[in-house]
Amino acid sequence: MKKWLLFAWLSLFCGLTHSHEMTLSELTLKEFSPNEFIWSWGAPAKSRPITDDLSVKFPPHCKVEPRILSCPEKGLNGEISVKGLGENYSATLLRISFLGSEQRVFTLTSVQPQALLAASGRDERSATQIASAYTILGVQHILGGIDHLLFVITLLFLVGFRRQLFWTVSAFTVAHSITLVLSALNILVLRPAPVEACIALSIVLVAAEALSSRITWTKQLPALVALLFGLVHGLGFAGALKEIGLPENHLGLSLFGFNLGVEIGQIGVLALAWLVFRFTRHLKAVEKLRRAALYLMGSLAAFWTLTRVVQIFS
């Protein structure tokens, strides 16, 4: 039974720590003469050609060459779709630069792998399609954001499955929602490096409090701690959202969808943790595994903190 218990707890923890961050590809179109574009793929830190994983389909009236896209009759009007999303790439950012410095950015996912463009380059997808696409992106981001998930797990270890957990998680949700919106709208702008360092440090501090036997104000007011650190985590979410881009015609809806996706992923992780807790709470080894997990998460977060602080001054 103890071996089964160890396997259950380590499976939950290792599943989190080995999650992959959301990987993005870019498809860039630059108009160099009326209705003629230079197009190219791009992706950060990828050794293999992106075309091995993804393929693009342009409107049928356009003539496609290896680097040139010509749409002389109707212009760039119709559907652009990407095949292969959801495997090695979570999303494709479609960036279209028109003559006169006008630029459009569209986000394509495995759920919504196409953009429907009018002749002006405006995204003609429905509100429902855009909301669905950004909700999926929010789920993918939280499940791939190891540091955000570890913070939620350390809060769980700090509070336990008590009524207080509801208020603690709610405070975290409200806080990161506020700063997510403010940062995404460029009302609150901070450098990414200090934000990422503070996120890692938040895990270290909460893990240390959860390991301590003292009755501290952190244990008495965990919702306040979640609220304060949630403001920082929201800035981290916003950093990812800025990389993805927001549609101008459905700005509020895409923000809501992304935040909803983050919450869905967060609730899913807590539900999984509750199932593990329910089947192991009566066994003696639970407390030992709890402390081991906290030490492991705290140590990992301490390493992240040091490396991210170095990045601030590099």
Side-chain angles (χ1 to χ4, degrees):
M1 180 64 72
K2 289 184 178 180
K3 291 182 179 179
W4 176 86
L5 174 62
L6 178 63
F7 175 77
W9 277 92
L10 291 181
S11 295
L12 174 62
F13 182 76
C14 292
L16 294 177
T17 55
H18 285 85
S19 298
H20 296 285
E21 293 187 1
M22 184 165 52
T23 53
L24 300 176
S25 58
E26 289 189 4
L27 177 58
T28 303
L29 282 74
K30 294 183 179 181
E31 189 176 25
F32 64 92
S33 66
N35 296 327
E36 290 191 302
F37 301 83
I38 296 174
W39 69 279
S40 61
W41 285 106
K46 287 288 181 179
S47 56
R48 56 189 283 177
I50 196 170
T51 50
D52 291 350
D53 304 307
L54 304 176
S55 61
V56 58
K57 183 178 180 180
F58 293 109
H61 64 271
C62 295
K63 181 181 178 181
V64 184
E65 298 180 13
R67 292 291 304 275
I68 304 297
L69 177 69
S70 301
C71 308
E73 297 179 2
K74 300 179 182 179
L76 192 58
N77 181 16
E79 183 178 284
I80 299 178
S81 61
V82 173
K83 184 179 180 181
L85 289 171
E87 298 178 3
N88 294 318
Y89 293 93
S90 303
T92 290
L93 302 185
L94 172 59
R95 301 183 186 273
I96 306 176
S97 299
F98 294 94
L99 292 174
S101 301
E102 182 185 7
Q103 186 180 79
R104 300 282 184 180
V105 180
F106 312 102
T107 305
L108 310 182
T109 67
S110 57
V111 177
Q112 295 292 334
Q114 67 282 329
L116 185 60
L117 280 66
S120 62
R122 182 179 176 85
D123 191 349
E124 294 297 317
R125 287 181 295 176
S126 68
T128 302
Q129 290 176 317
I130 290 178
S132 174
Y134 277 83
T135 300
I136 295 297
L137 286 171
V139 173
Q140 291 176 335
H141 178 67
I142 185 65
L143 294 182
I146 301 173
D147 45 6
H148 300 299
L149 285 183
L150 291 190
F151 180 75
V152 173
I153 296 299
T154 54
L155 282 178
L156 173 59
F157 281 144
L158 178 69
V159 177
F161 284 105
R162 297 180 295 159
R163 184 179 300 177
Q164 199 175 27
L165 180 63
F166 171 80
W167 298 111
T168 302
V169 174
S170 297
F172 179 66
T173 297
V174 170
H176 74 62
S177 298
I178 291 172
T179 48
L180 168 62
V181 172
L182 292 177
S183 182
L185 297 178
N186 291 320
I187 298 174
L188 177 62
V189 180
L190 295 176
R191 288 177 57 203
V195 171
E196 294 299 323
C198 289
I199 289 174
L201 183 60
S202 70
I203 302 170
V204 176
L205 296 178
V206 175
E209 288 293 312
L211 284 166
S212 175
S213 59
R214 296 177 300 165
I215 303 300
T216 62
W217 68 272
T218 303
K219 293 181 178 179
Q220 293 176 331
L221 299 171
L224 178 60
V225 175
L227 182 72
L228 295 175
F229 284 131
L231 296 172
V232 180
H233 281 256
L235 295 173
F237 292 142
L241 189 56
K242 284 182 178 179
E243 291 183 4
I244 298 170
L246 293 168
E248 296 179 1
N249 52 329
H250 291 291
L251 184 62
L253 189 61
S254 56
L255 274 172
F256 174 79
F258 186 83
N259 201 49
L260 177 63
V262 169
E263 300 316 313
I264 291 173
Q266 182 176 288
I267 291 171
V269 170
L270 290 175
L272 178 60
W274 180 80
L275 286 175
V276 173
F277 170 76
R278 181 180 179 182
F279 288 103
T280 61
R281 57 184 173 178
H282 298 300
L283 301 178
K284 295 181 180 180
V286 169
E287 180 57 28
K288 292 182 180 179
L289 288 172
R290 172 185 175 275
R291 293 184 66 83
L294 283 168
Y295 274 116
L296 183 58
M297 290 187 290
S299 300
L300 182 60
F303 172 75
W304 287 339
T305 303
L306 292 175
T307 57
R308 293 174 183 182
V309 167
V310 170
Q311 290 177 0
I312 295 175
F313 300 100
S314 62

